[in-house]
Amino acid sequence: MRRRFGAAAALLSVSLLAIGVAQNSRSSTLVYGGDFSDLITLDPGTSYEFSGGLVTDNLYETLVKFEGEDLSTLKPGIATKWTVSDAGSSWKVVFNLRNQKFSSGNPVTADDVVYTFDRAIALKGNGSFLFDEVANMKVGSTKAINKTTLEVTLPKTASPAAFLNLLTFNIGGIVDSAEVKSHVVNNDYGTAWLKNHSAGSGPFVLNRWDQNQQVVLEANPNSRLLPLLSRVILREMKEANTQKIALESGEIDIAENLTPDMVAAKAKDAKFNVYKADSLRLQYLGMNTGADSPFKDARVRQAVRWAVDQDAIVNDLAGGNARKIQTIIPAGLFGYNPATPYKVDIEKAKSLLKAAGKEGGFEFEYLVPQGSCGAGIPCSDLAAKIQSDLAKIGLRAKIRQIVQSELLGIYRAQKAQMVMVGWSPDFPDPDGNATPMSDYGAKSLAWRNAWQNDTAGKLAQQAALEPNPAKRAALYKQLTELQLEDGPFAILYQPKVPLTLAKTVKGYLRNAQGQVRFEKISK
Amino acid sequence: MLTYIIKRLFFVLFVVWGLTVATFFISQILPGDPAISALGDKATDEMIQNFRDKNGLNQPVLVQYFSYVSRLAVGDLGTSLRTGRPILDDLRDFFPGTLELALAALLIAAAIGIPAGVLAALQQNKLPDVLVRLLALIGGATPIYWLAILLLETLHNKLRWLPGPGRLDAYLIAPPRVTGLVGIDAIFAGDWQVWSDSVMHLILPAFVLGAFSAALLARMTRAAMLETLNQDFVRTARAKGVSNSTVIVRHALRNAFLPVLTVLGGVLGGLLSGAVLTESIFSWPGVGRYVTDAAISLDFPAVMGVTLLAGVAYSLINLATDLLYAVLDPRISYG
């Protein structure tokens, strides 16, 4: 009897211990539910997907970074100090590094930065263009002066400001060169290994990645950025309903993809908080200004802008999960122009059409992608709203809803009359929007809409290269005003990303680039 | 028998060839550009051109087809345009999830559907029969999506009887991969906590997936049993004084099982080709979700890979079903 009692007591103790360990583990773990199906690699040198960035930003520190929600002021990362100087035919950017360690225990040195940058260029991954096309860097542009000082040489065709900003992107995550080199197979720069391992100095290390299931991050004891939680799990859940149920049952602490009505319901529930993060995305109408297009005359494009009811789109269709914006640089970025001169004015729109010789209106093809547009609005609903707004001034839009890649194929060939798509800059710098949307020679959005305005193109180039912030701001103001008057775009809105968090989650911040510093979150 | 099996395996090759023709040429006429889909809006013309060159998308359609088939002949399904990995590697990762779910769903469907069908037939037009027919009707007509959300909401969220989405609790670490079936791998690793958690996680999705098949099996078993119970040999067996249970199990059910086996084979084939909705709602990493993501990204090589897998699975299951006929019914011979 006594033996049986002893065994029962032992079993109970083990069970209680197990429960205690589990509860302790739960309280020190953040479980983040979302659709991470775009995750294909965790190598910072090749990852270009949103989910890849979300993870690698927490595994790898960058030389410079943004803090909190602010995307306009660079803060020290691995670099404690940096200076940009004009060296005549080039820019010299010098970084001083702090003493810190990678997760392996190896010190972070200037040689690691050289290896990281050269590796990213040589790999020719989806994000490599940031270094070789935007910053015009080559293998060899980065040189170590000593263990803690390095110099990057940029040609005068590149913008030092844009270069510094793009370093905050995951391609700027510094890798442990000794660790990576030890895993190189067939000259692959260790990319096969880094796909599902980590070698950084960020606050977390990769514990494991079970494809289409979860990514588990553990605190990096060697990081200077010690996290408040010891573990973060990104749990893949595609369905909004699944995320809602998992959030309610406490399986996850954060749900990233609830529908707008679910978010609205959770906002009224005392157990949850709703956090609306900004994004840098612009949902816009692109109007082809080519010789045969009815949108050739700037007054027709202005008429479209006077006819579109943005307030109804932002408040009703997006349920408030979007920002009203009419200029080409998204709010949150340097150079943002908050001007919103266009309001619904049907008479004014009609008079502009009359002045342009289009009094009776016209019919045109309106290309719309399938699925959801920004802020979770079904693209078909948004298209129907625009169609109805334009019909009020006599413009008869024939909606053609097709798959995104087919739409882009037509748009990229300058063959679309009007498109409704989204655009986000690749790095948090106004040039990520200004040049593609204004410079015909860049063969991007301005080109796709056959809009060749030499003044706009020159302004974009000048602003990109201008090192003086005040002068740069003035140039962007001039450019955004020109675009408002003459540009081929009708900006519809800037979507927000609503996230639902369990009330216990504290310190969650997400900037418009989608970066979340997991080390600052507690629960 | 061996000759028959070899003939049938040759037939499988024809099925595979037919599938390659159908899937390849359908993928060619579908709208959309796989290169733009894979690289995105920002890709330069040069990047798109390089991608097309690398993946042979610039070659004439027939050259692309023959290149695909010749690679297939040596067991190379190609590389996924979305994940950048060999499709075989992707399938190796995702198929075990589907296999685990399909087998559990089949087990649940058979465990519910066959006894229910037998009971309904034995109690024809009485209350149990009416109930089974009603439940079979409901089971067959209930949308999977609705049933899944309902069960998750009640059994997981409200009552906390069963775990929620996923293959394993987020706080548990999956055992080292041996078979890819978490439950089996947990046994190999001797990790009973993971084993029990994986079994618990399997119950809801397997039940949701198996409900429709259970309804089908119940109706099929009932009809087959009714037909068999009216046969002369059953009446003779009863007249000879054979016990009721022996008559039902050894005489009636064994003979009624042939059409049921056909349905079981079809059900398993369907389940193995991926349960898109169930896998999505339960965040289950299987072939259904893989092929959905592939289709959305216009990743045709991956879609074709999964189609071939499904075709081969169907063909082999059909072959196994036919061979089982001979085991169950001595009158059938493939000699």
Side-chain angles (χ1 to χ4, degrees):
Chain A
M1 182 69 183
R2 187 182 290 176
R3 191 181 294 170
R4 200 176 291 172
F5 177 77
L11 188 64
L12 184 67
S13 314
V14 170
S15 304
L16 288 174
L17 186 68
I19 292 168
V21 168
Q23 279 174 347
N24 183 40
S25 163
R26 279 173 198 268
S27 64
S28 60
T29 302
L30 178 82
V31 187
Y32 193 129
D35 179 2
F36 307 117
S37 56
D38 63 333
L39 200 57
I40 51 175
T41 178
L42 292 173
D43 179 346
T46 54
S47 165
Y48 193 61
E49 296 70 37
F50 167 75
S51 303
L54 183 67
V55 177
T56 55
D57 286 340
N58 288 283
L59 300 175
Y60 299 89
E61 255 213 285
T62 48
L63 291 179
V64 291
K65 63 182 180 181
F66 292 113
E67 291 277 10
E69 294 166 329
D70 177 36
L71 287 180
S72 56
T73 316
L74 286 169
K75 297 280 169 66
I78 291 177
T80 51
K81 213 175 88 180
W82 58 96
T83 52
V84 178
S85 57
D86 189 340
S89 60
S90 62
W91 300 107
K92 298 277 182 201
V93 189
V94 176
F95 296 91
N96 294 99
L97 312 186
R98 68 175 86 232
N99 283 319
Q100 66 179 84
K101 286 180 178 173
F102 287 110
S103 57
S104 62
N106 292 335
V108 179
T109 66
D111 287 332
D112 293 304
V113 181
V114 174
Y115 179 76
T116 299
F117 290 179
D118 287 352
R119 175 181 184 272
I121 295 166
L123 274 170
K124 294 189 193 308
N126 284 348
S128 298
F129 77 97
L130 292 170
F131 278 159
D132 61 16
E133 288 181 24
V134 177
N136 295 155
M137 287 164 69
K138 296 186 176 78
V139 171
S141 296
T142 312
K143 287 194 168 60
I145 295 171
N146 56 45
K147 272 195 179 292
T148 56
T149 314
L150 69 115
E151 180 185 85
V152 180
T153 306
L154 304 175
K156 277 291 176 78
T157 49
S159 155
F163 165 69
L164 287 169
N165 283 333
L166 68 82
L167 289 184
T168 65
F169 199 68
N170 52 343
I171 199 164
I174 307 304
V175 301
D176 180 342
S177 58
E179 182 77 15
V180 175
K181 281 175 187 169
S182 70
H183 293 96
V184 169
V185 178
N186 298 329
N187 298 321
D188 74 341
Y189 293 94
T191 197
W193 182 80
L194 268 188
K195 183 178 181 171
N196 51 10
H197 293 84
S198 65
S201 61
F204 289 89
V205 291
L206 180 68
N207 175 294
R208 61 187 291 137
W209 169 29
D210 299 318
Q211 217 181 348
N212 276 49
Q213 293 181 71
Q214 58 186 18
V215 181
V216 182
L217 310 181
E218 301 278 359
N220 172 8
N222 285 327
S223 175
R224 68 184 181 89
L225 305 165
L226 288 177
L228 296 170
L229 295 172
S230 58
R231 189 191 279 185
V232 174
I233 299 173
L234 283 88
R235 187 91 157 149
E236 188 171 329
M237 295 181 173
K238 284 191 88 143
E239 287 289 318
N241 263 313
T242 312
Q243 287 186 30
K244 175 182 159 283
I245 291 169
L247 183 70
E248 287 169 352
S249 70
E251 285 225 346
I252 59 173
D253 301 302
I254 299 174
E256 193 172 85
N257 311 99
L258 299 194
T259 59
D261 54 327
M262 288 176 187
V263 172
K266 289 284 163 278
K268 293 175 193 154
D269 191 327
K271 287 184 283 185
F272 304 100
N273 282 326
V274 170
Y275 175 87
K276 290 188 180 179
D278 272 320
S279 75
L280 295 178
R281 188 177 171 84
L282 294 180
Q283 192 71 39
Y284 72 90
L285 297 177
M287 295 170 270
N288 193 313
T289 66
D292 304 328
S293 168
F295 299 103
K296 182 175 182 291
D297 193 313
R299 288 166 295 189
V300 178
R301 304 196 292 273
Q302 287 168 12
V304 168
R305 292 194 275 265
W306 283 110
V308 172
D309 186 355
Q310 273 187 297
D311 290 326
I313 294 171
V314 168
N315 299 324
D316 301 339
L317 282 179
N321 294 324
R323 181 194 292 272
K324 181 176 173 180
I325 179 171
Q326 293 179 351
T327 46
I328 60 162
I329 297 172
L333 281 190
F334 180 88
Y336 163 62
N337 180 347
T340 50
Y342 294 98
K343 296 162 186 70
V344 178
D345 189 336
I346 301 301
E347 289 316 310
K348 187 155 191 163
K350 282 182 174 172
S351 68
L352 281 163
L353 283 180
K354 188 177 175 186
K358 303 274 184 192
E359 195 174 3
F362 54 85
E363 191 175 271
F364 62 97
E365 188 176 69
Y366 173 25
L367 297 183
V368 175
Q370 291 173 347
S372 274
C373 284
I377 308 175
C379 291
S380 52
D381 291 2
L382 185 57
K385 169 66 183 154
I386 304 286
Q387 185 187 44
S388 125
D389 286 349
L390 297 183
K392 290 176 189 161
I393 59 169
L395 302 191
R396 299 176 295 281
K398 284 195 303 174
I399 295 175
R400 188 176 154 209
Q401 197 170 13
I402 51 180
V403 292
Q404 174 100 350
S405 63
E406 187 184 7
L407 182 152
L408 291 175
I410 299 169
Y411 189 28
R412 292 169 68 100
Q414 291 186 320
K415 286 180 182 162
Q417 285 189 298
M418 180 186 271
V419 293
M420 183 175 78
V421 276
W423 179 266
S424 313
D426 290 300
F427 51 98
D429 186 87
D431 189 45
N433 273 30
T435 291
M437 295 179 108
S438 310
D439 186 357
Y440 185 84
K443 220 180 164 199
S444 186
L445 301 187
W447 187 86
R448 290 179 199 174
N449 288 293
W451 187 66
Q452 188 166 12
N453 183 314
D454 293 341
T455 311
K458 277 181 192 148
L459 278 171
Q461 288 168 15
Q462 235 180 309
L465 300 176
E466 177 56 58
N468 180 307
K471 285 184 189 166
R472 199 174 187 222
L475 288 167
Y476 280 127
K477 186 162 190 297
Q478 215 181 324
L479 176 63
T480 49
E481 282 169 356
L482 188 156
Q483 279 272 10
L484 270 173
E485 189 73 15
D486 189 67
F489 310 104
I491 310 293
L492 299 174
Y493 58 89
Q494 185 178 345
K496 285 179 187 280
V497 183
L499 294 112
T500 314
L501 291 76
K503 206 87 179 179
T504 47
V505 176
K506 308 282 180 217
Y508 180 93
L509 285 177
R510 173 177 160 135
N511 68 26
Q513 199 176 201
Q515 291 174 323
V516 181
R517 304 282 171 210
F518 289 148
E519 79 270 19
K520 300 202 167 162
I521 300 176
S522 63
K523 67 179 256 204
Chain B
M1 177 75 106
L2 188 65
T3 320
Y4 173 76
I5 294 174
I6 291 169
K7 269 188 202 164
R8 287 290 299 268
L9 288 175
F10 265 112
F11 177 71
V12 173
L13 284 181
F14 274 103
V15 170
V16 169
W17 174 73
L19 282 172
T20 63
V21 173
T23 51
F24 184 84
F25 288 100
I26 287 172
S27 74
Q28 294 297 317
I29 54 169
L30 284 176
D33 183 339
I36 293 178
S37 184
L39 299 175
D41 193 10
K42 312 281 174 63
T44 60
D45 290 347
E46 189 192 353
M47 285 164 75
I48 288 178
Q49 199 56 36
N50 287 343
F51 183 90
R52 287 190 181 132
D53 287 342
K54 186 180 158 199
N55 292 285
L57 300 173
N58 281 329
Q59 291 175 324
V61 174
L62 280 179
V63 175
Q64 284 186 50
Y65 176 72
F66 284 114
S67 151
Y68 174 67
V69 171
S70 52
R71 275 187 280 117
L72 201 62
V74 291
D76 179 5
L77 286 175
T79 303
S80 160
L81 302 181
R82 187 176 69 91
T83 66
R85 300 175 70 209
I87 291 160
L88 262 181
D89 288 358
D90 280 347
L91 290 179
R92 218 179 350 250
D93 281 352
F94 290 104
F95 187 67
T98 294
L99 181 65
E100 196 170 52
L101 189 57
L103 291 176
L106 189 76
L107 192 70
I108 288 176
I112 297 173
I114 295 173
V118 172
L119 178 70
L122 295 174
Q123 303 283 321
Q124 192 185 9
N125 295 331
K126 293 181 186 160
L127 185 64
D129 182 28
V130 174
L131 280 178
V132 167
R133 279 191 286 159
L134 183 68
L135 286 174
L137 189 69
I138 293 171
T142 305
I144 280 186
Y145 189 88
W146 182 83
L147 182 65
I149 297 294
L150 179 81
L151 294 180
L152 268 175
E153 193 69 58
T154 51
L155 298 181
H156 165 62
N157 197 13
K158 297 278 186 278
L159 301 170
R160 306 291 165 104
W161 289 353
L162 288 168
R167 214 168 162 193
L168 212 54
D169 189 286
Y171 298 87
L172 291 177
I173 301 296
R177 185 191 168 100
V178 181
T179 62
L181 305 170
V182 177
I184 305 289
D185 290 349
I187 294 174
F188 284 136
D191 192 335
W192 301 108
Q193 192 188 3
V194 167
W195 177 80
S196 66
D197 190 74
S198 72
V199 172
M200 294 301 276
H201 269 87
L202 198 51
I203 295 174
L204 271 186
F207 179 79
V208 167
L209 197 57
F212 179 82
S213 309
L216 184 68
L217 280 171
R219 286 203 303 271
M220 203 66 212
T221 309
R222 177 183 178 275
M225 278 295 283
L226 282 176
E227 196 183 327
T228 316
L229 286 169
N230 289 324
Q231 298 280 322
D232 290 345
F233 68 87
V234 173
R235 201 173 302 123
T236 308
R238 287 193 199 282
K240 282 165 64 182
V242 178
S243 73
N244 194 39
S245 57
T246 310
V247 169
I248 292 167
V249 177
R250 293 191 56 187
H251 294 264
L253 185 57
R254 186 169 178 182
N255 282 283
F257 203 68
L258 287 183
V260 176
L261 187 67
T262 314
V263 174
L264 270 176
V267 164
L268 182 62
L271 294 174
L272 284 181
S273 52
V276 175
L277 279 176
T278 313
E279 287 179 5
S280 291
I281 299 165
F282 286 96
S283 303
W284 199 268
V287 170
R289 270 176 67 197
Y290 174 71
V291 76
T292 313
D293 289 340
I296 290 169
S297 325
L298 304 182
D299 183 357
F300 295 128
V303 174
M304 283 152 62
V306 174
T307 311
L308 288 182
L309 175 77
V312 171
Y314 257 111
S315 306
L316 294 181
I317 288 167
N318 268 337
L319 174 60
T321 309
D322 289 348
L323 295 177
L324 276 174
Y325 279 172
V327 176
L328 287 170
D329 187 347
R331 291 171 301 177
I332 299 174
S333 161
Y334 298 115

